[in-house]
Amino acid sequence: ELDIDYAKNIINYIIDLKRRKNLLNKQGEIILTFYGGEPLLKIGLIKEIIEYIEKDIGSEYFSYGMTTNATLLNKHVDYLDEKKFKLLISLDGNFEQNKHRTFHNNNPAFNKTIQNIYSLRTKYPEFYERIRFFV
């Protein structure tokens, strides 16, 4: 469980290190990637971290990425698109191979994942181009 103060300290350390070595504008942006479990379950914390960066650091130094199973993608796609996230979606194969990936009510997650991906492709074609898949 990542704490917001701990996240701020890490970000400050990275920015300070790049400033001391005079690398802030020389080696491109810092890519901040969220993964582990399902990061969209912690979208509030992700928003806090990005808000901190935008208000106190400067978003020109950062880009964002996420590894997700896409089951919650439809709920947060507007925000992810606005912040130009690059996504890696973990599929774990086809429907049969995913039968053990279920929601808390034991319903399979595969159909929801595919539905969210198709919806995103239709509504956000530019965002869809920033997605990669891990099978």
Side-chain angles (χ1 to χ4, degrees), residues 39-96:
L40 289 174
L41 289 171
K42 299 292 183 178
I43 191 70
L45 177 62
I46 291 169
K47 287 179 177 182
E48 274 187 87
I49 291 169
I50 292 173
E51 182 178 324
Y52 171 72
I53 288 169
E54 291 176 347
K55 286 186 176 180
D56 295 351
I57 307 281
S59 60
E60 69 272 16
Y61 302 119
F62 288 86
S63 66
Y64 307 106
M66 179 181 294
T67 299
T68 177
N69 63 23
T71 57
L72 298 171
L73 191 56
N74 62 323
K75 293 181 181 182
H76 306 293
V77 66
D78 291 333
Y79 181 79
L80 299 175
D81 183 46
E82 174 190 337
K83 301 302 178 187
K84 305 291 184 221
F85 267 77
K86 293 178 182 169
L87 295 184
L88 176 62
I89 296 178
S90 173
L91 290 176
D92 295 343
N94 60 26
F95 180 81
E96 183 61 30

Side-chain angles (χ1 to χ4, degrees), residues 95-113:
F95 180 81
E96 183 61 30
Q97 294 161 331
N98 266 269
K99 62 185 169 190
H100 298 293
R101 183 184 273 187
T102 60
F103 292 113
H104 67 279
N105 61 5
N106 289 326
N107 286 336
F110 184 78
N111 290 340
K112 183 66 173 170
T113 298

